[in-house]
Amino acid sequence: MKHIEKSSLTLTVGRGIAGMAVAATLAACGGGNGGSYSALPPVAAAQPQPPAPSEDPCESLTGTALSGGTVTGAQSVVAGDYTPPNIAPGEPSPLTGLPDFCRVTVTMKPSPDSNVGVEVWLPKTNWNGRFLGTGNGGPAGAITYYTGLREGLIRGFAVANTDLGTARDITTREGHPEQWVDFGNRATREMTVAGKAIVNAYYNAPPKYSYFQGCSTGGQQALTNAQRYPNDYDGLIVGAPGNNRTHLHMSFIWHHKAFNEPGATLTPGKAKMVMSKSIAACVGKDGGAPTDTFLTDPRQCNFDPDTLPRCTTGNGDDCLTDPQLTALKKAYAGPTNPRTGEQIYGGLPFGAEGLLYGPVEQAASWWPAAQFYQFYWVFGKGFDYKAFDFDHDVDTVDDRLAPLVNANSPDLSAFKARGGKLLMYSGLQDPGAPYHDALNYYERVVKAQGGNLAATQEHFRYYLVPGMGHCSGLDGGNGGTEFGQPYSAVVPSSAKGDILIQMTEWVEKQKAPEEIIGTSYTPSGQIATQRPICVYPKLPTYQGGDATKASSFACKDAPRGNAPAPSDRYLN
């Protein structure tokens, strides 16, 4: 048996933060087969290609021992459509348009109580010499195929994904702190070292460059690696990160409590009505076009919820009752410590009220199981969200979990010193992982760089995306919100509109991306709208003309910061 040393829930895909993005995006974009994928060209000093099929070493990888794990299976998969045998319910299948590849399954055991599942997919021909680690959504618990492995493989990457050690039910981890460590930071590291070792074994050469991309939980994974394991990747793409994990989920409890008070639940129609009113109050006054159906900069919106129509008789979708208005105000404010008044996490952004993971989700029966798992770990299966104390219970959770699952450190000096690059983005209409937390994290990184924004942008750039909900444009109106990111249904062929290509250009050719072109598509897959996505603190500013054209906008400076920020006490 070969040996390789290490080098330097039952929750469906539709039930985690970023999870429902897959199916809904497919519906919005005609099944997810639109657009064009193009493999990246091999890097200079091309890597050796695997032997011809008659000499293919794929199956011989089975049983290969890794440091801390074993290859449990390896199979050759022919080009075309493929449905993995353990694909999660709700994830699109079959996977279409795949090249010939070698599928490798791995189990890593960094502790006696760990069971981290990993898959590595290796192109049999036209490997581009690069390794791509990919992230998860929500509580993980399954390999992410459609928005992770497929996209990278088609582009010519050797690509890997992990279930984060929580298959299949993350709520059953009470009394298993080693598995908390796996979910919080270690499983991604295990995936990375195993993936690179398998790449080396299959191609007889290591990857020339290594990249990671993920959104939501995947964004947390990316920031965790930058902070804890700065030598793993040359470039990290960080989408809507859940890196302030314990406090993000406390905000879920806050919202759930508010909208489940007697008479406080919002119907989808009511939530859409509220969203339309908040957008109408500010649209076209924040740099965007007056015809937009979203806000370009919700920080500049001073919407007053007391102006919303009130129900005098009945409880229709065109008005709010007193309990509903009270709950909405609590959601906008975000969770605070009732004893000290300190902000624990920011609130619901204006313009995001009717979108996925917003107020309507709080009535869903699956929401607690999907999002309260870490409270089950700490307090046990009998945890009752209604009894959560936003003073003492916050400290209890943070003492046990924050060091394991949060990635709040602004010190990226080691990652910067080794030449690493970061691209981070947030949807400005995202109620699931609101932009304000990532924006405040970025400003803390700038502060750690001596307050020098230009110096920070040499290795870390941030993008605020108007009109985008959680991780993709499926629920964010008519903005240009597809740019090759995870959970996008289309990976564009234009390098200018593809964040992954932009990252490789930055790392390999020192071409820092000034702006990225975002696109929205018609149901038939045709381009509907394009708009520049600008490097923070710039935002696209309407210059006149056709608002569906990127040329009608210019990236202009917008205010720095100006977003609700947690107390320093809650940045552990």
Side-chain angles (χ1 to χ4, degrees):
M1 185 166 61
K2 289 175 288 186
H3 185 79
I4 302 173
E5 294 295 336
K6 278 188 181 180
S7 57
S8 11
L9 54 218
T10 309
L11 298 173
T12 71
V13 153
R15 293 191 176 181
I17 286 294
M20 283 189 284
V22 178
T25 301
L26 290 175
C29 297
N33 296 320
S36 96
Y37 286 83
S38 58
L40 288 171
V43 293
Q47 303 299 299
Q49 297 297 306
S54 60
E55 306 169 8
D56 185 9
C58 179
E59 279 74 10
S60 67
L61 291 172
T62 302
T64 297
L66 309 168
S67 291
T70 303
V71 175
T72 56
Q75 66 173 123
S76 295
V77 180
V78 298
D81 296 350
Y82 176 65
T83 300
N86 57 342
I87 193 166
E91 189 164 10
S93 63
L95 307 178
T96 59
L98 302 179
D100 291 325
F101 70 99
C102 177
R103 174 181 179 245
V104 181
T105 57
V106 178
T107 298
M108 301 297 290
K109 290 187 170 293
S111 81
D113 196 31
S114 297
N115 195 52
V116 177
V118 174
E119 287 202 25
V120 185
W121 288 12
L122 306 150
K124 289 201 171 184
T125 59
N126 300 318
W127 177 44
N128 64 25
R130 302 171 178 91
F131 172 75
L132 180 67
T134 61
N136 298 80
I143 299 295
T144 300
Y145 293 104
Y146 186 82
T147 60
L149 294 170
R150 176 183 183 267
E151 295 177 356
L153 181 74
I154 290 174
R155 294 167 167 279
F157 287 89
V159 61
N161 191 265
T162 172
D163 62 12
L164 293 184
T166 60
R168 281 239 171 215
D169 186 356
I170 197 171
T171 67
T172 61
R173 298 319 194 242
E174 178 188 354
H176 295 276
E178 291 293 338
Q179 295 180 23
W180 308 347
V181 177
D182 291 334
F183 174 81
N185 63 80
R186 190 167 55 193
T188 306
R189 167 69 170 167
E190 294 294 311
M191 174 198 76
T192 302
V193 295
K196 290 182 181 180
I198 291 166
V199 166
N200 193 46
Y202 186 67
Y203 296 115
N204 296 312
K208 182 76 172 178
Y209 295 100
S210 295
Y211 299 95
F212 182 96
Q213 67 172 356
C215 192
S216 194
T217 294
Q220 171 196 347
Q221 291 171 258
L223 286 181
T224 295
N225 262 68
Q227 295 167 25
R228 293 176 181 263
Y229 312 111
N231 294 319
D232 279 0
Y233 291 98
D234 300 294
L236 296 160
I237 298 174
V238 185
N243 58 299
N244 195 1
R245 174 67 62 176
T246 59
H247 306 109
L248 169 63
H249 286 251
M250 290 169 195
S251 77
F252 295 160
I253 291 182
W254 179 269
H255 297 318
H256 203 66
K257 289 179 71 171
F259 288 107
N260 281 282
E261 290 291 331
T265 300
L266 293 191
T267 63
K270 283 181 180 284
K272 291 291 186 183
M273 180 274 291
V274 172
M275 186 170 74
S276 69
K277 297 292 186 181
S278 67
I279 291 173
C282 303
V283 70
K285 304 172 185 177
D286 58 353
T291 56
D292 285 345
T293 58
F294 54 87
L295 299 178
T296 289
D297 190 355
R299 297 173 300 167
Q300 298 185 45
C301 184
N302 294 314
F303 173 63
D304 181 359
D306 282 324
T307 62
L308 290 165
R310 305 291 290 280
C311 297
T312 55
T313 59
N315 189 12
D317 285 345
D318 59 348
C319 61
L320 296 183
T321 65
D322 287 347
Q324 290 164 348
L325 181 61
T326 297
L328 185 64
K329 289 180 176 179
K330 287 182 180 179
Y332 286 141
T336 56
N337 184 313
R339 178 176 57 86
T340 67
E342 294 169 294
Q343 191 83 37
I344 297 170
Y345 196 84
L348 176 70
F350 293 136
E353 299 89 348
L355 301 186
L356 200 64
Y357 309 119
V360 172
E361 240 67 62
Q362 308 311 319
S365 60
W366 57 264
W367 187 258
Q371 305 303 346
F372 296 170
Y373 49 86
Q374 54 190 304
F375 307 110
Y376 299 134
W377 299 351
V378 173
F379 299 113
K381 275 293 188 182
F383 170 72
D384 179 2
Y385 77 89
K386 295 186 290 295
F388 187 80
D389 175 3
F390 282 89
D391 183 7
H392 302 295
D393 285 349
V394 172
D395 293 336
T396 299
V397 171
D398 281 348
D399 287 346
R400 298 197 66 184
L401 294 183
L404 309 181
V405 304
N406 288 358
N408 286 325
S409 172
D411 183 4
L412 301 177
S413 55
F415 185 72
K416 178 181 179 181
R418 57 94 63 197
K421 308 296 185 187
L422 277 159
L423 294 175
M424 184 168 73
Y425 60 89
S426 299
L428 281 163
Q429 271 62 57
D430 182 356
Y435 72 88
H436 47 67
D437 200 61
L439 187 154
N440 285 316
Y441 174 74
Y442 188 76
E443 286 288 359
R444 296 200 304 274
V445 173
V446 174
K447 184 177 179 181
Q449 295 280 312
N452 191 327
L453 177 62
T456 304
Q457 290 179 337
E458 290 175 0
H459 73 285
F460 186 6
R461 296 189 167 209
Y462 180 43
Y463 302 82
L464 291 166
V465 187
M468 188 168 83
H470 190 61
C471 291
S472 71
L474 69 107
D475 50 13
N478 61 356
T481 56
E482 308 293 330
F483 46 96
Q485 78 275 29
Y487 295 98
S488 169
V490 178
V491 175
S493 57
S494 168
K496 189 72 172 176
D498 193 307
I499 195 169
L500 182 55
I501 292 179
Q502 292 294 306
M503 174 58 87
T504 63
E505 291 283 295
W506 194 13
V507 168
E508 299 171 23
K509 299 179 182 178
Q510 293 72 56
K511 295 180 180 179
E514 291 300 324
E515 62 183 53
I516 300 169
I517 298 299
T519 303
S520 64
Y521 298 88
T522 67
S524 62
Q526 303 301 307
I527 292 175
T529 301
Q530 289 191 312
R531 191 162 296 192
I533 300 169
C534 309
V535 178
Y536 174 83
K538 295 180 178 180
L539 282 170
T541 303
Y542 183 57
Q543 304 296 291
D546 186 349
T548 68
K549 306 295 184 185
S551 58
S552 298
F553 295 82
C555 289
K556 301 286 187 179
D557 281 328
R560 290 268 300 274
N562 194 31
S567 165
D568 289 347
R569 174 182 173 185
Y570 300 120
L571 294 175
N572 49 348

